[in-house]
Short mmCIF file of all heavy atoms in Angstrom, two decimals:
data_model
loop_
_atom_site.label_atom_id
_atom_site.label_comp_id
_atom_site.label_asym_id
_atom_site.label_seq_id
_atom_site.Cartn_x
_atom_site.Cartn_y
_atom_site.Cartn_z
N MET A 748 0.84 -1.20 0.00
CA MET A 748 0.00 0.00 0.00
C MET A 748 0.88 1.25 0.00
O MET A 748 1.93 1.30 0.63
CB MET A 748 -0.90 -0.09 1.24
CG MET A 748 -1.29 1.22 1.84
SD MET A 748 -2.39 1.00 3.23
CE MET A 748 -3.14 2.62 3.19
N MET A 749 0.46 2.29 -0.73
CA MET A 749 1.24 3.51 -0.81
C MET A 749 1.15 4.25 0.51
O MET A 749 0.13 4.22 1.19
CB MET A 749 0.70 4.42 -1.93
CG MET A 749 0.55 3.75 -3.29
SD MET A 749 2.03 2.91 -3.87
CE MET A 749 3.17 4.29 -4.05
N LYS A 750 2.25 4.93 0.85
CA LYS A 750 2.20 5.73 2.06
C LYS A 750 3.08 6.97 1.90
O LYS A 750 3.98 7.01 1.07
CB LYS A 750 2.63 4.91 3.27
CG LYS A 750 4.00 4.27 3.15
CD LYS A 750 4.24 3.43 4.39
CE LYS A 750 5.65 2.87 4.44
NZ LYS A 750 6.04 2.07 3.28
N SER A 751 2.79 7.97 2.71
CA SER A 751 3.54 9.21 2.65
C SER A 751 4.24 9.44 3.98
O SER A 751 3.67 9.23 5.05
CB SER A 751 2.57 10.34 2.31
OG SER A 751 2.97 11.52 2.92
N ASP A 752 5.50 9.84 3.89
CA ASP A 752 6.31 10.09 5.08
C ASP A 752 5.94 11.45 5.67
O ASP A 752 6.16 12.49 5.06
CB ASP A 752 7.79 10.08 4.67
CG ASP A 752 8.72 10.23 5.86
OD1 ASP A 752 8.29 10.76 6.90
OD2 ASP A 752 9.88 9.82 5.74
N LYS A 753 5.36 11.43 6.83
CA LYS A 753 4.90 12.66 7.47
C LYS A 753 6.03 13.65 7.74
O LYS A 753 5.81 14.85 7.79
CB LYS A 753 4.25 12.33 8.82
CG LYS A 753 2.81 11.93 8.71
CD LYS A 753 2.21 11.89 10.11
CE LYS A 753 0.73 11.55 10.05
NZ LYS A 753 0.13 11.61 11.38
N GLU A 754 7.22 13.14 7.95
CA GLU A 754 8.36 14.02 8.24
C GLU A 754 8.76 14.80 6.99
O GLU A 754 9.23 15.92 7.08
CB GLU A 754 9.57 13.19 8.69
CG GLU A 754 9.31 12.29 9.88
CD GLU A 754 9.13 13.10 11.16
OE1 GLU A 754 9.92 14.02 11.37
OE2 GLU A 754 8.19 12.81 11.91
N LYS A 755 8.57 14.20 5.83
CA LYS A 755 8.99 14.85 4.58
C LYS A 755 7.86 15.65 3.92
O LYS A 755 8.11 16.68 3.31
CB LYS A 755 9.46 13.79 3.57
CG LYS A 755 10.75 13.09 3.97
CD LYS A 755 11.15 12.13 2.85
CE LYS A 755 12.39 11.32 3.21
NZ LYS A 755 12.61 10.23 2.24
N CYS A 756 6.66 15.16 4.00
CA CYS A 756 5.53 15.79 3.30
C CYS A 756 5.29 17.23 3.74
O CYS A 756 5.28 17.53 4.93
CB CYS A 756 4.26 14.98 3.53
SG CYS A 756 2.80 15.70 2.75
N MET A 757 5.10 18.12 2.73
CA MET A 757 4.83 19.52 3.06
C MET A 757 3.43 19.91 2.57
O MET A 757 3.12 21.08 2.42
CB MET A 757 5.91 20.40 2.44
CG MET A 757 6.10 20.15 0.97
SD MET A 757 7.50 21.05 0.33
CE MET A 757 7.34 20.74 -1.42
N TYR A 758 2.60 18.92 2.30
CA TYR A 758 1.19 19.15 1.92
C TYR A 758 1.02 20.08 0.73
O TYR A 758 0.20 20.98 0.76
CB TYR A 758 0.39 19.66 3.13
CG TYR A 758 0.52 18.73 4.31
CD1 TYR A 758 1.37 19.01 5.37
CD2 TYR A 758 -0.16 17.51 4.31
CE1 TYR A 758 1.54 18.13 6.41
CE2 TYR A 758 -0.01 16.62 5.35
CZ TYR A 758 0.85 16.92 6.40
OH TYR A 758 1.01 16.05 7.42
N CYS A 759 1.83 19.84 -0.30
CA CYS A 759 1.73 20.69 -1.48
C CYS A 759 0.53 20.31 -2.35
O CYS A 759 0.06 21.10 -3.14
CB CYS A 759 3.01 20.59 -2.30
SG CYS A 759 3.23 18.96 -3.07
N GLY A 760 0.08 19.07 -2.22
CA GLY A 760 -1.08 18.63 -2.99
C GLY A 760 -0.78 18.11 -4.38
O GLY A 760 -1.68 17.71 -5.10
N ALA A 761 0.50 18.11 -4.78
CA ALA A 761 0.86 17.67 -6.13
C ALA A 761 0.45 16.22 -6.39
O ALA A 761 -0.03 15.88 -7.47
CB ALA A 761 2.36 17.82 -6.33
N CYS A 762 0.60 15.38 -5.41
CA CYS A 762 0.25 13.96 -5.58
C CYS A 762 -1.24 13.78 -5.82
O CYS A 762 -1.66 12.95 -6.62
CB CYS A 762 0.70 13.15 -4.37
SG CYS A 762 0.08 13.77 -2.79
N VAL A 763 -2.04 14.58 -5.15
CA VAL A 763 -3.50 14.47 -5.27
C VAL A 763 -3.92 14.68 -6.72
O VAL A 763 -4.70 13.89 -7.28
CB VAL A 763 -4.20 15.50 -4.35
CG1 VAL A 763 -5.71 15.45 -4.54
CG2 VAL A 763 -3.84 15.26 -2.89
N GLY A 764 -3.39 15.74 -7.34
CA GLY A 764 -3.75 16.05 -8.71
C GLY A 764 -3.15 15.08 -9.72
O GLY A 764 -3.67 14.95 -10.82
N SER A 765 -2.09 14.40 -9.34
CA SER A 765 -1.41 13.50 -10.29
C SER A 765 -2.04 12.12 -10.40
O SER A 765 -1.86 11.43 -11.38
CB SER A 765 0.05 13.32 -9.86
OG SER A 765 0.14 12.40 -8.78
N CYS A 766 -2.78 11.73 -9.41
CA CYS A 766 -3.32 10.36 -9.38
C CYS A 766 -4.44 10.15 -10.39
O CYS A 766 -5.48 10.80 -10.31
CB CYS A 766 -3.82 10.02 -7.98
SG CYS A 766 -4.51 8.35 -7.89
N PRO A 767 -4.23 9.24 -11.35
CA PRO A 767 -5.25 9.01 -12.37
C PRO A 767 -6.50 8.31 -11.83
O PRO A 767 -7.54 8.28 -12.48
CB PRO A 767 -4.53 8.13 -13.40
CG PRO A 767 -3.50 7.41 -12.61
CD PRO A 767 -3.05 8.41 -11.56
N LYS A 768 -6.40 7.78 -10.65
CA LYS A 768 -7.53 7.05 -10.05
C LYS A 768 -8.21 7.83 -8.93
O LYS A 768 -9.07 7.29 -8.23
CB LYS A 768 -7.03 5.70 -9.51
CG LYS A 768 -6.53 4.76 -10.58
CD LYS A 768 -7.68 4.32 -11.46
CE LYS A 768 -7.18 3.44 -12.61
NZ LYS A 768 -8.29 3.08 -13.53
N ASN A 769 -7.78 9.05 -8.73
CA ASN A 769 -8.32 9.84 -7.62
C ASN A 769 -8.27 9.09 -6.30
O ASN A 769 -9.25 9.06 -5.54
CB ASN A 769 -9.77 10.28 -7.91
CG ASN A 769 -9.84 11.26 -9.05
OD1 ASN A 769 -8.99 12.14 -9.17
ND2 ASN A 769 -10.83 11.10 -9.90
N ALA A 770 -7.14 8.47 -6.07
CA ALA A 770 -6.99 7.64 -4.86
C ALA A 770 -6.27 8.35 -3.72
O ALA A 770 -5.99 7.74 -2.70
CB ALA A 770 -6.25 6.36 -5.22
N ILE A 771 -5.96 9.64 -3.92
CA ILE A 771 -5.23 10.36 -2.87
C ILE A 771 -6.04 11.55 -2.36
O ILE A 771 -6.62 12.29 -3.16
CB ILE A 771 -3.87 10.88 -3.39
CG1 ILE A 771 -3.12 9.76 -4.12
CG2 ILE A 771 -3.02 11.41 -2.23
CD1 ILE A 771 -1.81 10.21 -4.75
N TYR A 772 -6.06 11.67 -1.06
CA TYR A 772 -6.78 12.79 -0.44
C TYR A 772 -5.86 13.49 0.55
O TYR A 772 -5.04 12.85 1.19
CB TYR A 772 -7.98 12.29 0.36
CG TYR A 772 -8.91 11.42 -0.41
CD1 TYR A 772 -8.66 10.04 -0.53
CD2 TYR A 772 -10.04 11.95 -1.01
CE1 TYR A 772 -9.52 9.23 -1.26
CE2 TYR A 772 -10.90 11.14 -1.73
CZ TYR A 772 -10.64 9.79 -1.86
OH TYR A 772 -11.48 8.98 -2.57
N LEU A 773 -6.04 14.81 0.66
CA LEU A 773 -5.30 15.53 1.69
C LEU A 773 -6.25 15.73 2.86
O LEU A 773 -7.33 16.27 2.71
CB LEU A 773 -4.88 16.92 1.18
CG LEU A 773 -3.61 17.10 0.38
CD1 LEU A 773 -3.32 18.58 0.25
CD2 LEU A 773 -2.43 16.39 1.01
N GLU A 774 -5.84 15.26 4.02
CA GLU A 774 -6.62 15.56 5.21
C GLU A 774 -5.83 16.63 5.96
O GLU A 774 -4.76 17.03 5.53
CB GLU A 774 -6.79 14.30 6.05
CG GLU A 774 -7.83 13.38 5.44
CD GLU A 774 -8.29 12.28 6.37
OE1 GLU A 774 -7.63 12.05 7.41
OE2 GLU A 774 -9.30 11.64 6.06
N GLU A 775 -6.34 17.11 7.04
CA GLU A 775 -5.69 18.22 7.73
C GLU A 775 -4.24 17.97 8.10
O GLU A 775 -3.40 18.84 7.99
CB GLU A 775 -6.48 18.59 8.98
CG GLU A 775 -7.30 19.85 8.77
CD GLU A 775 -8.14 20.19 9.97
OE1 GLU A 775 -7.56 20.44 11.02
OE2 GLU A 775 -9.37 20.18 9.83
N THR A 776 -3.96 16.78 8.55
CA THR A 776 -2.59 16.53 9.02
C THR A 776 -1.90 15.39 8.31
O THR A 776 -0.83 14.95 8.72
CB THR A 776 -2.60 16.19 10.52
OG1 THR A 776 -3.46 15.06 10.72
CG2 THR A 776 -3.11 17.34 11.34
N ARG A 777 -2.52 14.87 7.22
CA ARG A 777 -1.86 13.76 6.53
C ARG A 777 -2.40 13.55 5.12
O ARG A 777 -3.45 14.07 4.75
CB ARG A 777 -2.03 12.46 7.33
CG ARG A 777 -3.48 12.06 7.47
CD ARG A 777 -3.65 10.88 8.40
NE ARG A 777 -5.04 10.40 8.33
CZ ARG A 777 -5.40 9.15 8.11
NH1 ARG A 777 -4.49 8.22 7.94
NH2 ARG A 777 -6.66 8.81 8.06
N VAL A 778 -1.66 12.76 4.35
CA VAL A 778 -2.08 12.39 3.01
C VAL A 778 -2.66 10.98 3.13
O VAL A 778 -2.04 10.10 3.71
CB VAL A 778 -0.88 12.39 2.04
CG1 VAL A 778 -1.30 11.90 0.67
CG2 VAL A 778 -0.29 13.79 1.94
N VAL A 779 -3.83 10.79 2.56
CA VAL A 779 -4.50 9.50 2.67
C VAL A 779 -4.59 8.82 1.31
O VAL A 779 -4.94 9.45 0.31
CB VAL A 779 -5.93 9.69 3.22
CG1 VAL A 779 -6.63 8.35 3.40
CG2 VAL A 779 -5.90 10.45 4.54
N PHE A 780 -4.28 7.54 1.27
CA PHE A 780 -4.35 6.76 0.03
C PHE A 780 -5.52 5.78 0.11
O PHE A 780 -5.67 5.07 1.11
CB PHE A 780 -3.05 5.98 -0.19
CG PHE A 780 -1.87 6.87 -0.42
CD1 PHE A 780 -1.12 7.34 0.65
CD2 PHE A 780 -1.53 7.29 -1.69
CE1 PHE A 780 -0.04 8.20 0.45
CE2 PHE A 780 -0.45 8.14 -1.91
CZ PHE A 780 0.29 8.59 -0.84
N ASP A 781 -6.33 5.75 -0.92
CA ASP A 781 -7.47 4.82 -0.97
C ASP A 781 -6.99 3.53 -1.64
O ASP A 781 -6.77 3.47 -2.85
CB ASP A 781 -8.59 5.45 -1.79
CG ASP A 781 -9.84 4.58 -1.82
OD1 ASP A 781 -9.72 3.35 -1.62
OD2 ASP A 781 -10.93 5.13 -2.05
N GLU A 782 -6.80 2.53 -0.82
CA GLU A 782 -6.26 1.26 -1.30
C GLU A 782 -7.14 0.58 -2.35
O GLU A 782 -6.64 -0.11 -3.23
CB GLU A 782 -6.12 0.31 -0.10
CG GLU A 782 -4.70 -0.15 0.12
CD GLU A 782 -4.60 -1.14 1.26
OE1 GLU A 782 -5.13 -0.81 2.34
OE2 GLU A 782 -4.04 -2.22 1.05
N GLU A 783 -8.42 0.78 -2.25
CA GLU A 783 -9.36 0.16 -3.19
C GLU A 783 -9.18 0.71 -4.60
O GLU A 783 -9.31 0.00 -5.58
CB GLU A 783 -10.80 0.46 -2.76
CG GLU A 783 -11.15 0.02 -1.35
CD GLU A 783 -11.54 -1.44 -1.30
OE1 GLU A 783 -12.46 -1.80 -2.05
OE2 GLU A 783 -10.92 -2.20 -0.54
N ARG A 784 -8.88 2.00 -4.68
CA ARG A 784 -8.74 2.64 -5.99
C ARG A 784 -7.33 2.56 -6.56
O ARG A 784 -7.14 2.58 -7.77
CB ARG A 784 -9.10 4.12 -5.87
CG ARG A 784 -10.56 4.35 -5.59
CD ARG A 784 -10.83 5.84 -5.65
NE ARG A 784 -12.25 6.11 -5.47
CZ ARG A 784 -12.83 7.27 -5.77
NH1 ARG A 784 -12.10 8.25 -6.24
NH2 ARG A 784 -14.11 7.45 -5.59
N CYS A 785 -6.32 2.53 -5.70
CA CYS A 785 -4.93 2.58 -6.15
C CYS A 785 -4.55 1.38 -7.01
O CYS A 785 -4.84 0.25 -6.67
CB CYS A 785 -4.01 2.65 -4.93
SG CYS A 785 -2.26 2.67 -5.38
N VAL A 786 -3.91 1.68 -8.16
CA VAL A 786 -3.48 0.62 -9.07
C VAL A 786 -1.95 0.50 -9.09
O VAL A 786 -1.38 -0.14 -9.97
CB VAL A 786 -4.01 0.86 -10.51
CG1 VAL A 786 -5.52 0.72 -10.54
CG2 VAL A 786 -3.59 2.23 -11.03
N LYS A 787 -1.29 1.16 -8.12
CA LYS A 787 0.16 1.06 -7.96
C LYS A 787 0.95 1.52 -9.18
O LYS A 787 1.99 0.97 -9.51
CB LYS A 787 0.57 -0.40 -7.64
CG LYS A 787 -0.12 -0.99 -6.42
CD LYS A 787 0.65 -0.66 -5.16
CE LYS A 787 0.30 -1.53 -3.97
NZ LYS A 787 -1.08 -1.56 -3.57
N CYS A 788 0.44 2.54 -9.87
CA CYS A 788 1.14 3.05 -11.05
C CYS A 788 2.38 3.85 -10.65
O CYS A 788 3.27 4.08 -11.44
CB CYS A 788 0.20 3.91 -11.88
SG CYS A 788 -0.29 5.44 -11.04
N LYS A 789 2.39 4.34 -9.40
CA LYS A 789 3.51 5.09 -8.83
C LYS A 789 3.76 6.45 -9.46
O LYS A 789 4.84 7.01 -9.34
CB LYS A 789 4.79 4.26 -8.83
CG LYS A 789 4.61 2.99 -8.02
CD LYS A 789 5.90 2.36 -7.62
CE LYS A 789 5.65 1.12 -6.79
NZ LYS A 789 6.58 0.03 -7.11
N ILE A 790 2.78 6.99 -10.13
CA ILE A 790 2.91 8.33 -10.68
C ILE A 790 3.11 9.30 -9.51
O ILE A 790 3.92 10.22 -9.57
CB ILE A 790 1.65 8.72 -11.50
CG1 ILE A 790 1.62 7.91 -12.79
CG2 ILE A 790 1.63 10.23 -11.79
CD1 ILE A 790 0.35 8.07 -13.60
N CYS A 791 2.38 9.06 -8.44
CA CYS A 791 2.47 9.95 -7.27
C CYS A 791 3.88 9.97 -6.69
O CYS A 791 4.37 11.01 -6.25
CB CYS A 791 1.46 9.54 -6.20
SG CYS A 791 1.58 7.81 -5.68
N VAL A 792 4.55 8.84 -6.73
CA VAL A 792 5.92 8.75 -6.20
C VAL A 792 6.84 9.66 -7.02
O VAL A 792 7.67 10.38 -6.47
CB VAL A 792 6.44 7.29 -6.29
CG1 VAL A 792 7.89 7.21 -5.85
CG2 VAL A 792 5.58 6.38 -5.42
N LYS A 793 6.65 9.65 -8.34
CA LYS A 793 7.50 10.46 -9.22
C LYS A 793 7.19 11.94 -9.09
O LYS A 793 8.07 12.79 -9.21
CB LYS A 793 7.30 10.04 -10.68
CG LYS A 793 7.81 8.64 -10.96
CD LYS A 793 7.73 8.32 -12.45
CE LYS A 793 7.94 6.83 -12.68
NZ LYS A 793 6.80 6.21 -13.38
N VAL A 794 5.94 12.26 -8.86
CA VAL A 794 5.51 13.65 -8.79
C VAL A 794 5.91 14.35 -7.49
O VAL A 794 6.20 15.55 -7.50
CB VAL A 794 3.97 13.71 -8.99
CG1 VAL A 794 3.39 15.00 -8.46
CG2 VAL A 794 3.65 13.53 -10.45
N CYS A 795 5.95 13.64 -6.41
CA CYS A 795 6.24 14.26 -5.11
C CYS A 795 7.61 14.95 -5.12
O CYS A 795 8.63 14.29 -5.35
CB CYS A 795 6.18 13.23 -3.99
SG CYS A 795 6.57 13.97 -2.38
N PRO A 796 7.65 16.26 -4.90
CA PRO A 796 8.90 17.01 -4.97
C PRO A 796 9.90 16.69 -3.86
O PRO A 796 11.08 16.99 -3.99
CB PRO A 796 8.45 18.47 -4.89
CG PRO A 796 7.16 18.42 -4.17
CD PRO A 796 6.51 17.13 -4.59
N VAL A 797 9.43 16.08 -2.79
CA VAL A 797 10.36 15.80 -1.68
C VAL A 797 10.56 14.30 -1.45
O VAL A 797 11.14 13.88 -0.46
CB VAL A 797 9.87 16.47 -0.37
CG1 VAL A 797 9.95 17.99 -0.49
CG2 VAL A 797 8.46 16.04 -0.01
N GLY A 798 10.07 13.49 -2.38
CA GLY A 798 10.27 12.04 -2.25
C GLY A 798 9.64 11.44 -1.01
O GLY A 798 10.20 10.54 -0.39
N ALA A 799 8.45 11.94 -0.67
CA ALA A 799 7.81 11.47 0.56
C ALA A 799 6.98 10.21 0.41
O ALA A 799 6.64 9.56 1.39
CB ALA A 799 6.93 12.59 1.13
N ILE A 800 6.67 9.85 -0.85
CA ILE A 800 5.78 8.70 -1.07
C ILE A 800 6.54 7.44 -1.43
O ILE A 800 7.45 7.44 -2.24
CB ILE A 800 4.75 9.00 -2.18
CG1 ILE A 800 3.99 10.30 -1.84
CG2 ILE A 800 3.75 7.84 -2.33
CD1 ILE A 800 3.04 10.75 -2.94
N SER A 801 6.16 6.35 -0.78
CA SER A 801 6.77 5.06 -1.08
C SER A 801 5.69 4.00 -0.96
O SER A 801 4.59 4.26 -0.49
CB SER A 801 7.91 4.76 -0.11
OG SER A 801 7.40 4.71 1.21
N GLU A 802 6.05 2.77 -1.37
CA GLU A 802 5.04 1.71 -1.31
C GLU A 802 5.19 0.92 -0.02
O GLU A 802 6.30 0.77 0.46
CB GLU A 802 5.19 0.77 -2.50
CG GLU A 802 4.03 -0.20 -2.62
CD GLU A 802 4.08 -1.00 -3.92
OE1 GLU A 802 4.85 -0.67 -4.80
OE2 GLU A 802 3.31 -1.96 -4.00
S1 SF4 B 1743 0.28 4.66 -7.22
FE1 SF4 B 1743 -0.94 5.57 -8.89
S2 SF4 B 1743 -3.05 4.98 -8.45
FE2 SF4 B 1743 -1.87 4.64 -6.56
S3 SF4 B 1743 -2.12 6.51 -5.37
FE3 SF4 B 1743 -0.23 6.74 -6.59
S4 SF4 B 1743 -0.85 7.80 -8.49
FE4 SF4 B 1743 -2.71 6.97 -7.49
S1 SF4 B 1744 3.31 15.45 -3.42
FE1 SF4 B 1744 4.57 14.77 -1.67
S2 SF4 B 1744 4.89 16.64 -0.44
FE2 SF4 B 1744 3.17 17.02 -1.82
S3 SF4 B 1744 1.33 16.47 -0.63
FE3 SF4 B 1744 1.93 14.66 -1.82
S4 SF4 B 1744 3.25 13.47 -0.44
FE4 SF4 B 1744 3.11 15.53 0.39
#
C-alpha cells in the first residue's frame, strides 16, 4: 500500500492532482491513500517534490 512520510511531506497537494484514479486525499494533518482505488502506477511517487511517497 502507498504511504507518505509525514516528516517529509509539506502538503503541497501535487500527488493528489497527479493520481489518475483519484486515490489520494489531503486531510488536515496527513495524506490518505485509498487502497481500493490505487493501481500502484507510482505516478504519485515520481511527482512528489520531496520524495515522501513510497510503497
Ligand atoms: S500509485 Fe498511482 S493509483 Fe496509486 S495513489 Fe499513486 S498515483 Fe494513485
Ligand atoms: S506530493 Fe509529496 S509533499 Fe506534496 S502532498 Fe503529496 S506526499 Fe506531500
Side-chain angles (χ1 to χ4, degrees):
M748 149 178 203
M749 308 307 296
K750 56 183 186 304
S751 147
D752 184 337
K753 276 191 177 184
E754 304 290 316
K755 292 183 184 169
C756 178
M757 52 187 188
Y758 305 102
C759 69
C762 55
V763 177
S765 78
C766 179
K768 295 293 176 184
N769 293 321
I771 312 176
Y772 307 85
L773 275 190
E774 284 193 346
E775 257 177 62
T776 57
R777 62 187 189 128
V778 175
V779 182
F780 295 89
D781 183 337
E782 240 183 309
E783 303 276 305
R784 292 186 176 196
C785 178
V786 293
K787 304 273 198 303
C788 67
K789 300 198 179 141
I790 289 173
C791 55
V792 175
K793 293 187 193 122
V794 160
C795 179
V797 293
I800 306 175
S801 61
E802 190 172 348

